[in-house]
Amino acid sequence: MRARELGIPLTGEPGPWDAITDVPGIEVGYVTLCEGDDVRTGVTALLPRGRDGVGMPCAAGLHSFNGNGEMTGTAWIEESGSLAVPVLITNTYAVGPVHRGVVEWVRANRRDMAPEWLLPVVTETWDGHLNDIHGSAVESRHAAAAIEAAASGPVEEGCVGGGTGMRCYGFKGGSGTASRVVEYGEDRYTVGAFVQANFGARRELVVAGVPVGRELPDGPAPEPDGERQVPPGAGSVIVVVATDAPLLPGQCEALARRATLGLARTGTTGSHFSGDIFLAFSTANEGALTSTFPEDDGSAPYESMRFVPWGRMDPFYGAVVESVEEAVLNVLTGAHAMTGRAGHHVPALPLDQVSALLAARGAVA
């Protein structure tokens, strides 16, 4: 179920699907790989303007809360303030084949888009507890398949796509999303968040202000298997924030920074061993921020952008914080228990016990 179905009190007005796809034009696609005993992984594709809009830049900004992770293509986003390619999320050691897969898909489908070079955005979290991360399960074709599977509408959550083998706060993690509507004068905009959650120590988990991680009974101790144990809280989290509000690249960066506060509401203190990298973009101002070879015709064109004044950004910041918090909770309430590599087992969040703890604290919607 989703966090709202569990009765967790959440503030703000969600969009129709309560998902990043409430931002018009955004599409999400998955390839989920669960094979045999050792493969628990996949690929997620987020398309800011859908397949037909690949190559049309969006204003974009980044924030690295903790840099123990990878997101390719970030130097160009910081340089140009724009994002014109799909965003792919997978496991740590699959960045290479997924990167190649994006290049192959663009070459096959968008030969008009800077065929001389391409800087894909591929990012990751570590799923080596449940998945044979050293294996070759993820191939370049899976990146193309995730892009082709991308669609608008409701978004599946939990153990799907790049989030298939992830853990969050010691429970089964994965993929999650949420959205908020922001009224700005006579206009209504949407802010949406998507997370691949693989972070947090069990003792840190907070739900609606209740420290449930400390109050839930401890699970069974992991059986020794000769492997070095990953410290609690290690793993990483990727957050993608999107909006149709007209924003400058610097304002998108400001939205990305606020993802930190949404995560903090769920209890994390930010492990040194977690790569927490956030990307935000605006789908407004279509046609601006282009970066193409100049025509040798003597022309000297200009571009212009419409944007929300900096002093009016607070409601958008709040929408990011609320969306990110709910997206993480949707991961935890939507994921199921999973057994994978070497017999490792990760339990799902015990929803009945969480409900009882929230009810005892008067924290049920």
Side-chain angles (χ1 to χ4, degrees):
M1 64 176 66
R2 305 193 80 189
R4 290 175 181 269
E5 298 175 67
L6 193 63
I8 297 173
L10 297 159
T11 56
E13 177 189 350
W17 295 308
D18 196 9
I20 196 170
T21 48
D22 289 322
V23 178
I26 294 182
E27 297 176 351
V28 176
Y30 295 124
V31 167
T32 300
L33 302 174
C34 286
E35 302 167 359
D37 296 329
D38 296 336
V39 176
R40 304 288 186 271
T41 192
V43 181
T44 299
L46 293 97
L47 281 62
R49 300 188 188 277
R51 279 182 296 278
D52 293 340
V54 172
M56 181 67 70
C58 299
L62 301 153
H63 179 64
S64 174
F65 174 53
N66 194 64
N68 197 347
E70 179 65 271
M71 180 181 286
T72 68
T74 55
W76 181 238
I77 294 174
E78 292 178 339
E79 178 75 18
S80 66
S82 68
L83 170 73
V85 293
V87 178
L88 281 289
I89 318 176
T90 186
N91 79 60
T92 307
Y93 291 172
V95 169
V98 171
H99 191 280
R100 181 64 192 176
V102 177
V103 173
E104 292 171 351
W105 184 91
V106 172
R107 179 177 171 80
N109 294 275
R110 292 299 309 273
R111 292 301 298 270
D112 59 311
M113 181 187 168
E116 295 81 9
W117 83 89
L118 188 68
L119 298 171
V121 176
V122 182
T123 188
E124 53 76 30
T125 62
W126 185 85
D127 61 10
H129 185 71
L130 288 170
N131 176 56
D132 177 13
I133 199 168
H134 295 279
S136 56
V138 178
E139 303 174 1
S140 61
R141 63 187 176 91
H142 295 126
I147 294 172
E148 288 295 331
S152 185
V155 176
E156 189 177 358
E157 295 170 303
C159 310
V160 290
T164 299
M166 304 302 169
R167 297 181 290 173
C168 186
Y169 289 115
F171 299 100
K172 189 65 190 68
S175 306
T177 187
S179 70
R180 291 294 184 274
V181 174
V182 177
E183 294 188 357
Y184 185 75
E186 296 181 354
D187 296 319
R188 284 169 61 88
Y189 295 113
T190 301
V191 172
F194 183 95
V195 302
Q196 183 163 297
N198 189 51
F199 71 102
R202 179 177 176 135
R203 64 180 182 278
E204 295 178 321
L205 177 59
V206 173
V207 178
V210 178
V212 299
R214 295 202 305 265
E215 298 190 15
L216 288 171
D218 291 333
E223 296 182 6
D225 54 11
E227 297 182 3
R228 174 182 289 184
Q229 296 298 312
V230 174
S236 300
V237 56
I238 300 300
V239 181
V240 179
V241 174
T243 184
D244 57 347
L247 301 180
L248 298 170
Q251 293 173 318
C252 292
E253 182 180 346
L255 292 191
R257 287 196 299 270
R258 267 64 184 187
T260 310
L261 301 177
L263 297 178
R265 285 190 175 188
T266 67
T268 183
T269 54
S271 168
H272 170 74
F273 299 101
S274 183
D276 306 341
I277 305 174
F278 317 139
L279 169 66
F281 61 84
S282 164
T283 61
N285 291 301
E286 184 174 336
L289 295 175
T290 56
S291 180
T292 57
F293 289 140
E295 297 292 337
D296 190 18
D297 58 3
S299 63
Y302 293 92
E303 292 180 348
S304 60
M305 294 182 66
R306 180 171 178 255
F307 61 94
V308 174
W310 277 98
R312 302 296 184 93
M313 286 292 293
D314 284 357
F316 298 95
Y317 296 156
V320 172
V321 174
E322 293 172 351
S323 297
V324 171
E325 176 192 19
E326 184 176 359
V328 173
L329 296 177
N330 283 337
V331 169
L332 289 165
T333 59
H336 57 77
M338 182 175 285
T339 301
R341 184 188 66 83
H344 292 166
H345 180 77
V346 179
L349 182 70
L351 302 185
D352 54 346
Q353 297 179 46
V354 172
S355 293
L357 288 170
L358 296 181
R361 296 290 189 92
V364 177

